[in-house]
Amino acid sequence: MAKQEIEFFDVKSKKKFKTSDYKIVDKGGRMFAVTKSPTGTYECWRVVSKDFAAKNK
């Protein structure tokens, strides 16, 4: 099953972008989607629900 495309916000470039190329990370019980920034060498993180994380691992 393909991952759902979601929108991230790149804080450094102050731009939104959409991607379905991300990984799900659990940090202290909170679920995050993490992807590489399209404009730099850093990562962009976004909080996601536990349901979303379970469906898109």
Side-chain angles (χ1 to χ4, degrees):
M1 185 169 110
K3 288 184 183 178
Q4 182 180 335
E5 185 176 70
I6 57 173
E7 193 169 69
F8 287 85
F9 183 72
D10 186 331
V11 177
K12 290 187 181 177
S13 72
K14 298 182 174 59
K15 293 207 173 20
K16 290 182 180 177
F17 64 97
K18 289 187 177 181
T19 184
S20 56
D21 180 23
Y22 53 84
K23 63 185 176 193
I24 299 295
V25 177
D26 181 345
K27 265 204 172 322
R30 293 189 84 182
M31 305 306 279
F32 296 88
V34 184
T35 190
K36 295 218 181 295
S37 165
T39 58
T41 57
Y42 49 92
E43 293 179 326
C44 298
W45 290 60
R46 175 194 164 142
V47 176
V48 294
S49 70
K50 286 186 174 23
D51 289 344
F52 180 89
K55 289 178 190 161
N56 293 281
K57 276 203 171 203

